[in-house]
Structures are given as structure tokens and as C-alpha cells.
Amino acid sequence: MPRRAVPPSVESAPAAPLDVPAQMTHREVMEALSGLLLAMFVAMLSSTIVANALPRIITDLEGSQTGYTWVVVATLLSMTATTPLWGKLADLFSKKLLVQSALVIYSIGTLIAGFAPSMEVLIGARVVQGLGVGGLTALVQVVIATMVPPRERGRYSGYLGAVFALATVSGPLIGGLIVDAPGLGWRWCFFVGLPVAALAFGVLQKTLHLPVVRREVTIDYLGATLIVGGVSILLVWVSLAGNQFAWASATSLALIALGVGVVVVAVYVEARVAVDPVIPLRLFRDRTTSLATGASVLVGIAMFGATVYLSQYFQLSRGMTPTHAGLMSIAMVGGLLVSSIATGRIISHTGRYKRWLVGGMVFVIVGLALLGQIDDTTPLAVVGLFMAFLGLGLGATMQNLVLVVQNNVVPSDLGTASSVVAFFRSMGGSVGVSALGAMLSHQVAAKVTVGMAALGIAEPGHRTHAIPDLSALPGPVRVVYEHAFGASIGELFLVSVPFAVLALVCALLIREVPLRTTNLPETSLAPEVEPEIERQAAAARRSAR
């Protein structure tokens, strides 16, 4: 069926224009993409490079286990909570200026963190870093979506997957080398990202040229504040429950009630009060967007919740150094890299994506189920093979879920829709990491108690949130702890399987809409966007009068 032409008045409407830039050549896209990929690399590296330095940081700044947790949680909170706001700003202001602003915010937080004299200052600096990282994570995909039509977007999304893989592999290795290098130390784990950020800023200034959309701006301050507040309260709860207070305690119930209450008020404001809401609830009237968002939450739980503990498996159960543990991640990241680039190119060629989403989720389920069988005696080559299966599945699903949503919304909603997917995926990851972490502590404690009893050693019980120095333990006791961590981490992958199965169900229910070859919505292929086109046309006619 031929595509219906959009009325010219829609394109020229000053109140609600369709953000459709002129088609860029492949060379222009690649030049601009170089700066965007550098920005994304900085964002990813900030999380991975500091992982191996944290024990040294806590020791030097005289921090506690609580401080250790908050160095990680602070960035996660600010990044996740502000992602929708960055996406909304991308629909209202210059995307180039916003990406550069996020780089500046990240650099300021990095400088403060590098010179931090105490844990309190470091945690505050990590909050600032998270604001910038959240912006970079959301905006890079928005800018790519603005430059490239959906049909061609898959090949470029594959490059994002490659950068993600590179940062995941190189971050821990670089961090370990910096910490152990004479004359450097852990502070350079922060400083090393600044030259890359500066280079990304300069490249973007030279190569990224997007039209600046002029439109009436109405910022939903109340909705943004409520969303950030509600999400932050719930993330504080899932991050600290089981550690600072019991899951079923009065404090836990109070945080749940307060967080849910604030979120309910935020939903009401977004639906009934806000003129231009941060998260337009009308997006979820589209079945494809709702299913892709739900799948993103479930993938976040399965991916972040399970894979974040692989480093502990290699270090605590298999006795590896941080550097060697980082090298073991090449198996999973290699699978992710190959799958992300290959599926992106095939999707761009064919315009079809559902088969790859479904196939990717099957690989995720198989990979998680296989990893659920590992313990402290599983051959490392077998563990690496299982990780490769999981990586192949994640590479075919993560970026393509964003692509599905971008293909089903009008261009003026690209920023908001892209950030919504990233927001819910991060939320799922946050919940998964915290909940599975609590489960890991409980399982390790139970297995250590049983193991000690078998050795005839009186053991009052493993402190669930203490990580022992295995090298200082007697041989038989060390074996008990290695088995406890190895078997318990394997069980985390089994717990993640049902979430991956639900994500597969969401992928199966998605109605495939062939990818558009332009950034102009094809209403004959995506009828869900037709009312939005009509709304913008009506607004243009009213403005013309």
C-alpha cells in the first residue's frame, strides 16, 4: 500500500515540527559517529575501569563496606533516574549541545573524584559522574536515530555494541594496570578518561551538524522531580535492603510505600497535569513499544543481575587475579561483539528484525541455563563456551530493542522513546543486581556453614556481606569458601532464566513493522503513529490561522 504523504504544513509548523534532518551521506555519518562512539566509550569506561580499583580506594580513603556499595550505587542512581529527562531535553533542544554538556558534566565529576580526599567527596563526585554518563548513554542513541533512517540504523547500532564490548574488556585490564603501576595509583583510573572526553568533545564540534529544532519549550519540572525522586527512593531500597536493614523490616516497608507513592503521583502528573510530559504515557498505547520496554526490563534483570557476579566467580571461586578475570570476560564480550555487528548489518539489509530478537532471546535463555550448571570445578574452557552463548544472545537483543521502539514513534519523540527503553533496562538491572546479590549472600552463608560442619570446625556463620581474604585462609577452609561462591553464583544464572523466558514471550508478541527507509513515519506501515501525525497537522493549521 503506498505511503500517505504528510501535509506540508506539518513540516513547517513552528509549534510542533517533525524533526526530520536532511539525509546524511555514509561518510558524514561515520565522521559524526566517531565522536559519538568516543563519548559512549567514555561513558562505559567510567564504570568498568574503576571496578578493580575499588578495594584499594576503600583502603586509602579509610572507607567501609557501606562506602564500597555507595561508590557504585551513587552513579547508578543518578544515571538511571535522569535518563528520561535527558531524552526529553533531546526532543526540545540542540542534541549536539546536550551531548557536549553531558561530556562536560562527566569531566567535572571525574576531576572531583580523582582528587577526592574522603569517601564522602568521592561518592558525591560519582553522583555528578552519573549525571553525565546518563546523558551520554541516552543521547548517543538519540543522535544516531536522528542522523540515520531505521532501515540503516542496525549497521550503526552494531558499532555501539562493539564499543560496549571494547570498554567491557579493556576497562578492568586498564584499571588493574594503572592501580599496580609505580607512580600512578587508583586516582589515575579517573584521570585517564579525561583526554578521551576532550577528544570526543572536539570531534563532535567539528563533525556533528544537526538541525536545531525551534519549538515552544514547556519543561515538566514537577514530573521530572517526581520521577527522579520516586525512582531514587526505590533504587535506594533495592540497593540497601538485606545489608543496612532487613528486606521485611519497617524501614524497608516505609521506603517501598514512599517510593511507590511518589511514582503514582508522578504517573498522575504525567497523564493529567503536564503540558509536555517527560515520559508521555501515550507512547505505551503502542503495543510494540510496551512489549519492547517490558523485554528491556527483563533483559536488564537477566543480563546485569547475573553477569555482574562473573568477576566474583573467577576471583573468589577460581582464585584468579583481577586482570585474569577481566581476560575471561573476552569469551562473552566476543560473542556480543560478533552478534551485535552481524545482526545489525543483516537487519539493515533486510529491514526485518523480529527473527533476530527471538533468536537472540533463545541464545540468552540457553546461555543462562548452561551457566546455571557451573561451580568451582567446571573446566574454564566450558565456562567460556557458555559465556559465548550468552554474549551472542545479548548482542542480538540489546540494541535492537531500542531500534524497534525508534521505528514505531514519530521523529519528534525519538529522544523520549529511546531514553524510556534505556531507563527501564537500567531499572531492571538495578533491581536484578540488588536482589540477586542478597540471594548470593544468603546462599554463600548457608553453604559455608554446612561445609564447616563437615570439617568439624565450629563456625558461628559466615558474615553475609563480608568478602574473606581467601589467600589468608587454611587450605580446607579455603576450599569450602571457593565451593560456596562457585555453586552459589551458578545458581544466580538459573534464577535469571525465568526472566529471560518472559522477555522471549514479549519478543514473540511484538508485531513486526518493516524498518522505514527515511526518518519520516510511514503511517501505512505503522498505523499507531497516524494519530500523532494528525495531531501535529491540526496544530499547524491552528498556528497558521
Side-chain angles (χ1 to χ4, degrees):
M1 184 167 58
R3 182 179 60 184
R4 193 187 68 179
V6 179
S9 57
V10 175
E11 299 181 12
S12 59
L18 286 172
D19 186 7
V20 185
Q23 187 75 31
M24 297 175 67
T25 66
H26 177 67
R27 178 176 178 177
E28 291 172 333
V29 171
M30 292 304 298
E31 288 176 349
L33 192 65
S34 60
L36 294 172
L37 294 181
L38 283 171
M40 180 62 80
F41 182 74
V42 164
M44 295 296 101
L45 193 68
S46 67
S47 300
T48 59
I49 196 172
V50 77
N52 289 336
L54 275 176
R56 188 75 57 84
I57 293 173
I58 300 302
T59 300
D60 287 356
L61 297 182
E62 300 179 352
S64 62
Q65 181 64 35
T66 301
Y68 185 103
T69 301
W70 272 100
V71 169
V72 178
V73 171
T75 302
L76 188 63
L77 281 174
S78 57
M79 179 184 72
T80 303
T82 57
T83 296
L85 186 57
W86 280 108
K88 188 61 184 179
L89 292 175
D91 290 331
L92 299 175
F93 299 105
S94 166
K95 298 174 180 61
K96 175 178 177 177
L97 180 61
L98 287 171
V99 175
Q100 291 178 317
S101 298
L103 281 168
V104 171
I105 293 172
Y106 161 82
S107 299
I108 291 172
T110 299
L111 277 172
I112 298 173
F115 289 109
S118 65
M119 286 298 300
E120 292 77 13
V121 174
L122 177 61
I123 292 170
R126 293 285 285 173
V127 171
V128 178
Q129 264 193 315
L131 295 175
V133 171
L136 294 172
T137 303
L139 293 170
V140 167
Q141 296 193 67
V142 174
V143 173
I144 292 176
T146 303
M147 295 190 303
V148 185
R151 181 64 177 268
E152 296 296 320
R153 207 171 292 156
R155 64 193 291 194
Y156 298 106
S157 296
Y159 297 136
L160 287 180
V163 169
F164 177 85
L166 178 63
T168 303
V169 171
S170 64
L173 297 177
I174 295 173
L177 291 173
I178 289 176
V179 170
D180 294 332
L184 292 180
W186 63 264
R187 295 184 185 274
W188 280 93
C189 288
F190 296 104
F191 295 146
V192 74
L194 291 175
V196 183
L199 179 60
F201 189 99
V203 172
L204 288 171
Q205 182 64 30
K206 181 179 180 181
T207 63
L208 184 59
H209 305 290
L210 296 175
V212 179
V213 179
R214 303 296 182 185
R215 65 183 71 176
E216 183 180 351
V217 176
T218 305
I219 299 178
D220 179 21
Y221 292 107
L222 177 59
T225 302
L226 290 171
I227 290 171
V228 171
V231 170
S232 296
I233 292 170
L234 292 175
L235 286 180
V236 167
W237 167 62
V238 297
S239 299
L240 300 183
N243 185 0
Q244 302 300 309
F245 46 82
W247 286 93
S249 66
T251 302
S252 185
L253 295 176
L255 285 174
I256 295 172
L258 180 59
V260 171
V262 174
V263 169
V264 169
V265 175
V267 170
Y268 176 80
V269 169
E270 297 296 277
R272 301 291 184 182
V273 178
V275 175
D276 197 1
V278 175
I279 300 181
L281 299 184
R282 58 181 165 75
L283 292 177
F284 297 101
R285 290 200 293 265
D286 172 27
R287 169 176 146 178
T288 298
T289 299
S290 298
L291 289 170
T293 303
S296 296
V297 175
L298 296 165
V299 168
I301 293 174
M303 179 182 69
F304 293 107
T307 58
V308 75
Y309 296 106
L310 275 173
S311 179
Q312 278 192 313
Y313 170 78
F314 289 122
Q315 293 185 52
L316 298 180
S317 181
R318 310 307 294 263
M320 292 184 177
T321 64
T323 301
H324 289 158
L327 287 172
M328 281 300 300
S329 67
I330 291 177
M332 186 177 71
V333 176
L336 189 152
L337 175 65
V338 171
S339 177
S340 178
I341 294 178
T343 59
R345 288 187 171 274
I346 294 172
I347 289 172
S348 292
H349 179 69
T350 63
R352 299 287 178 174
Y353 52 79
K354 184 172 179 177
R355 68 191 66 174
W356 302 107
L357 281 179
V358 173
M361 286 313 309
V362 170
F363 267 86
V364 169
I365 293 169
V366 172
L368 290 172
L370 291 174
L371 284 169
Q373 312 305 314
I374 66 174
D375 58 19
D376 57 308
T377 62
T378 306
L380 291 177
V382 174
V383 176
L385 179 63
F386 294 169
M387 291 170 64
F389 265 92
L390 181 58
L392 287 170
L394 292 175
T397 55
M398 285 196 308
Q399 298 299 333
N400 290 330
L401 283 172
V402 179
L403 175 63
V404 169
V405 174
Q406 291 174 342
N407 187 56
N408 260 56
V409 300
V410 294
S412 57
D413 281 334
L414 271 178
T416 302
S418 302
S419 65
V420 163
V421 178
F423 168 73
F424 280 103
R425 185 171 61 206
S426 297
M427 275 289 292
S430 304
V431 173
V433 167
S434 299
L436 293 181
M439 175 186 167
L440 176 63
S441 297
H442 176 76
Q443 294 294 93
V444 168
K447 288 179 173 60
V448 166
T449 301
V450 172
M452 291 298 187
L455 292 176
I457 300 176
E459 170 64 26
H462 168 65
R463 291 183 300 160
T464 59
H465 291 279
I467 300 177
D469 181 2
L470 298 186
S471 63
L473 297 176
V477 176
R478 176 173 179 168
V479 170
V480 169
Y481 274 94
E482 288 177 345
H483 173 72
F485 276 101
S488 298
I489 291 174
E491 292 167 0
L492 297 187
F493 292 101
L494 286 180
V495 172
S496 300
V497 169
F499 297 103
V501 172
L502 289 175
L504 173 61
V505 172
C506 290
L508 288 169
L509 293 176
I510 288 176
R511 184 178 67 83
E512 185 170 36
V513 177
L515 296 179
R516 304 191 307 269
T517 56
T518 70
N519 267 336
L520 192 63
E522 298 186 13
T523 56
S524 61
L525 293 177
E528 294 85 352
V529 304
E530 187 162 348
E532 179 64 14
I533 298 294
E534 293 295 340
R535 184 188 70 78
Q536 294 193 23
R541 289 192 294 269
R542 287 195 301 270
S543 176
R545 295 194 195 107

